[in-house]
Amino acid sequence: MNSQITTPTVEFVRRFSSTRRGASSARRLAVGQLDAWGVPQGSEYSDTAALIVAELAANAVLHGHVPGHACELRLVLGTVLRIEVTDTRPGRRPLRPEPAGDAESGRGLLLVEALAKAWGVAERPPGKTVWAELGP
């Protein structure tokens, strides 16, 4: 008999428009869903997840926008929280972030890298999924 305790996994998937308004909606949806799962809105964990969703969603609509196609937010909560944002634009994979010096943009993935336990990019035809994981 296996005495290992497993954590139940729950999943949330929603499409959002490939616009700034859609990216903002993705963040609100994530915070609301985490709250429904028992991660209180305004907690450090919820705020960190919201920041990561906001950065990934903003990147998706800015760099992955394909007219007429939506992006997708996927949250999977188990032993870690996995955040995935998918766009439908092929190519244009995000690169590992480099400090941006005096640039006014380009720091979003630096934040994601600093806050997440891990992050990466996976091909998902016709586009790609950028994901990040938060530990407990």
Side-chain angles (χ1 to χ4, degrees):
M1 180 169 145
N2 185 349
S3 62
Q4 197 174 7
I5 298 173
T6 59
T7 303
T9 300
V10 289
E11 181 178 2
F12 172 83
V13 179
R14 289 292 184 279
R15 289 187 152 322
F16 61 95
S17 65
S18 183
T19 63
R20 287 182 183 205
R21 177 180 245 167
S24 178
S25 176
R27 184 190 151 287
R28 283 192 309 278
L29 286 167
V31 168
Q33 185 58 53
L34 288 172
D35 191 57
W37 286 338
V39 178
Q41 186 173 349
S43 68
E44 183 178 352
Y45 196 80
S46 176
D47 289 349
T48 300
L51 178 59
I52 290 172
V53 169
E55 290 298 336
L56 298 184
N59 283 349
V61 302
L62 181 62
H63 303 295
H65 174 74
V66 175
H69 292 270
C71 295
E72 182 180 275
L73 169 67
R74 181 174 180 250
L75 306 174
V76 180
L77 182 62
T79 56
V80 299
L81 171 63
R82 184 172 174 103
I83 300 165
E84 298 180 356
V85 175
T86 301
D87 66 59
T88 56
R89 185 173 189 168
R92 298 196 78 178
R93 290 174 57 100
L95 303 172
R96 288 279 172 213
E98 295 292 330
D102 291 337
E104 291 184 19
S105 64
R107 291 186 175 89
L109 287 178
L110 284 172
L111 287 172
V112 171
E113 187 167 76
L115 296 171
K117 184 175 184 174
W119 78 276
V121 183
E123 294 299 321
R124 184 170 169 197
K128 66 200 157 297
T129 298
V130 182
W131 58 269
E133 292 181 345
L134 288 177

